[in-house]
Amino acid sequence: MNEVTNNKKTAFYWDETCFWHGGGNYATVIPVGGFVQPLVAGGLPEAPETKRRLKNLIEATGLSSELAILGACKANTEDLLRIHPMNYLKTFKALSDKGGGELGLRTPFGPGGFEIAAKSAGLVKRAVTDVAQGRFRNAYALSRPPGHHCLPDWPNGFCLLANIAIAIEAAKAAKLVNRVAVVDWDVHHGNGTEHIFYDRDDVLTISIHQDRCYPHDTGSVDCQGEGKGLGYNVNIPLPAGSGHQTYLEAMQKIVLPKLRAFEPDMIVIACGFDASAVDPIARMLCGSHTFREMTRMLMTICEKIVAAHEGGYSELHVPFCGHAVLEELSNSKIHAPDPIHHRITVQQPDERNQAHQSDIVRDLATALV
Ligand code: ZN
């Protein structure tokens, strides 16, 4: 494959060991104990199948043959130290070497959990680096564990290392990018990414999320950055039950104007699919066509796009949402029909609820500095 072919391609980064991450005894997001009986097929909803099935689907449809399918090295200590303090990394590694455990909130890991998390961050780092260098037009990193909730010294919400922040800082250290925008459409607030870049004007962070779904006390529209970062953090908390039209209005009225004004060298999508109408731990009404349209919109702003996989807990639907994003990124004609598209379209908010949601988006737009 020569460079000319390469730089028109979409790259897809994955690693089998990322599917081996896990641990803990939970009934969905509640730890088992007391009167909470373990689920027979349960455990955390953050399970390998949603991600593995996306990889399987692109192979079953043949889309994988149009992509550059690649792996990556683990993010190294220097990469991790740009975001995380040494004492956190040492504690995490020591517990991982002892067989695993829990360091934060809902972030259990098993033996080798540290190395798997470093691999997940490495997938995002390589995707960002390769696209920044022009090796590929755009890329998708099937990272697991996810990263957008992780604070420098406190893992939470299934996230053990701040994958996207690690990747951006590595690319900045290598002088490959200047201005990067993160568009986080995972249904939960990207509190970790927000925290890490809160006082920075060279990384624009935007999060569209279900209002107070997780964390319950972050993600307000009033949190817009501080110091020179004021105006470079955008929160779009939407009410439960928001659907396709509301997401597109949030993109058109808030996200796209912010991106146009910022003029990023690269957009990194915190690409969670838990705003799906059938996600078990959130309450939104998006379909695969919503993620497709949002991808299309971002491609009008910036050529260099990296989607880093975050949440999304429907084994059925995540693969079709991911396939739709990859179809757009790669401009492929290979289509995977979404088996619940009709069901989701007939469940969209009625006129009255839609008017209410549209009002909220308009109010959020006017609340921004
Ligand atoms: Zn999420």
Side-chain angles (χ1 to χ4, degrees):
M1 195 192 307
N2 63 39
E3 280 298 314
V4 177
T5 313
N6 250 355
N7 66 21
K8 291 182 179 167
K9 265 197 169 233
T10 296
F12 182 89
Y13 300 85
W14 77 293
D15 191 285
E16 175 64 28
T17 60
C18 287
F19 302 144
W20 297 8
H21 164 68
N25 198 356
Y26 285 75
T28 81
V29 296
I30 305 299
V32 165
F35 291 121
V36 180
Q37 181 183 336
L39 299 183
V40 173
L44 278 179
E46 202 297 289
E49 275 306 281
T50 49
K51 289 82 182 171
R52 197 192 296 272
R53 288 167 66 115
L54 168 54
K55 170 74 170 37
N56 290 346
L57 184 63
I58 65 172
E59 282 171 8
T61 62
L63 180 59
S64 59
S65 65
E66 297 184 2
L67 310 174
I69 306 287
L70 297 164
C73 302
K74 295 193 288 273
N76 60 39
T77 307
E78 191 183 4
D79 297 326
L80 303 181
L81 279 172
R82 291 192 192 95
I83 303 296
H84 300 284
M86 183 58 95
N87 62 354
Y88 171 63
L89 298 176
K90 278 188 171 165
T91 309
F92 181 8
K93 169 85 169 110
L95 196 54
S96 166
D97 287 349
K98 273 193 206 158
E102 164 77 89
L103 287 170
L105 179 65
R106 296 187 195 111
T107 50
F109 53 93
F114 180 83
E115 283 72 23
I116 296 173
K119 176 69 83 172
S120 181
L123 295 173
V124 183
K125 178 196 164 188
R126 184 165 180 205
V128 167
T129 304
D130 282 354
V131 172
Q133 288 176 327
R135 288 193 64 212
F136 300 103
R137 182 177 51 193
N138 52 37
Y140 195 104
L142 190 58
S143 38
R144 177 175 186 268
H148 73 147
H149 293 307
C150 190
L151 299 170
D153 60 355
W154 193 68
N156 70 107
F158 317 143
C159 300
L160 285 148
L161 294 171
N163 302 333
I164 287 176
I166 289 164
I168 290 172
E169 289 297 81
K172 286 187 78 76
K175 302 203 182 316
L176 296 173
V177 288
N178 245 328
R179 299 165 71 75
V180 181
V182 179
V183 176
D184 186 328
W185 65 45
D186 185 283
V187 81
H188 305 103
H189 176 227
N191 60 304
T193 320
E194 169 184 280
H195 174 90
I196 290 161
F197 296 113
Y198 204 59
D199 60 355
R200 297 260 297 263
D201 62 2
D202 58 332
V203 180
L204 170 67
T205 46
I206 302 175
S207 177
I208 311 175
H209 45 267
Q210 183 186 322
D211 189 16
R212 288 162 291 152
C213 187
Y214 183 87
H216 308 307
D217 56 354
T218 66
S220 157
V221 69
D222 299 329
C223 298
Q224 299 184 25
E226 66 185 13
K228 67 179 180 177
L230 184 62
Y232 294 89
N233 185 68
V234 177
N235 283 326
I236 308 171
L238 299 176
S242 295
H244 181 73
Q245 186 179 327
T246 303
Y247 269 76
L248 296 197
E249 286 179 6
M251 291 290 288
Q252 279 154 353
K253 292 195 165 77
I254 304 173
V255 179
L256 298 185
K258 275 281 177 191
L259 290 172
R260 281 192 200 101
F262 183 69
E263 296 184 344
D265 307 332
M266 176 184 283
I267 295 172
V268 181
I269 305 170
C271 194
F273 296 120
D274 34 16
S276 153
V278 291
D279 193 89
I281 63 168
R283 296 159 200 86
M284 296 307 218
L285 287 171
C286 293
S288 58
H289 60 311
T290 316
F291 300 106
R292 177 190 302 283
E293 286 294 325
M294 293 196 292
T295 305
R296 212 176 265 168
M297 286 175 168
L298 295 182
M299 290 173 77
T300 67
I301 301 286
C302 185
E303 165 108 322
K304 294 184 174 180
I305 295 182
V306 172
H309 199 95
E310 294 281 354
Y313 307 102
S314 164
E315 286 184 22
L316 165 69
H317 204 211
V318 164
F320 291 93
C321 297
H323 201 284
V325 169
L326 279 160
E327 284 172 44
E328 293 305 313
L329 288 177
S330 62
N331 198 20
S332 176
K333 301 272 184 293
I334 296 176
H335 180 55
D338 182 343
I340 53 171
H341 178 73
H342 176 71
R343 175 178 151 179
I344 290 175
T345 53
V346 299
Q347 290 177 343
Q348 292 300 300
D350 62 14
E351 210 172 302
R352 200 169 144 201
N353 281 305
Q354 185 55 57
H356 172 62
Q357 292 174 15
S358 299
D359 281 350
I360 289 173
V361 171
R362 202 188 52 234
D363 290 349
L364 290 168
T366 57
L368 294 169
V369 293

